Amino acid sequence: MERYVWELARGLKEAGSSVTVVCEEVCSDVTDGITVVTVPSSIKRPRWKSMKSFRAHVVALVKSGELGGSIIHSHERTKGHHLTT
């Protein structure tokens, strides 16, 4: 999980929101009450294949209902997100 994602998630949690982060890798044991869902890592190169694999994992999570009524934020890595940065 990139640093900007962690800072955004932590800020939302501090503001009283329920936060779930979907990522391939967590670099810390500290979650500060943020739910973290990891998906299998994909190949790193070429980047487009990695992004396509991550997107497929997120779509499967959404379809499974595991993310509930979440608002989905993405940095252009998913389809069907509600907002992007």
Side-chain angles (χ1 to χ4, degrees):
M1 166 185 345
E2 292 131 337
R3 177 71 184 212
Y4 83 92
V5 173
W6 176 249
E7 295 297 336
L8 175 61
R10 202 175 74 197
L12 288 168
K13 182 69 179 172
E14 288 174 4
S17 296
S18 174
V19 179
T20 300
V21 175
V22 179
C23 58
E24 292 179 333
E25 182 180 4
V26 180
C27 300
S28 173
D29 292 335
V30 179
T31 59
D32 291 338
I34 295 168
T35 303
V36 178
V37 177
T38 56
V39 297
S41 291
S42 54
I43 40 181
K44 299 298 179 201
R45 296 282 183 234
R47 182 163 164 71
W48 69 268
K49 283 187 178 179
S50 173
M51 293 176 76
K52 188 174 178 182
S53 174
F54 181 81
R55 183 180 303 138
H57 289 295
V58 172
V59 167
L61 280 171
V62 170
K63 285 183 179 179
S64 76
E66 188 172 340
L67 299 179
S70 300
I71 295 173
I72 300 173
H73 163 266
S74 176
H75 184 70
E76 302 175 28
R77 292 193 73 178
T78 64
K79 290 182 179 178
H81 53 274
H82 302 101
L83 48 121
T84 190
T85 54

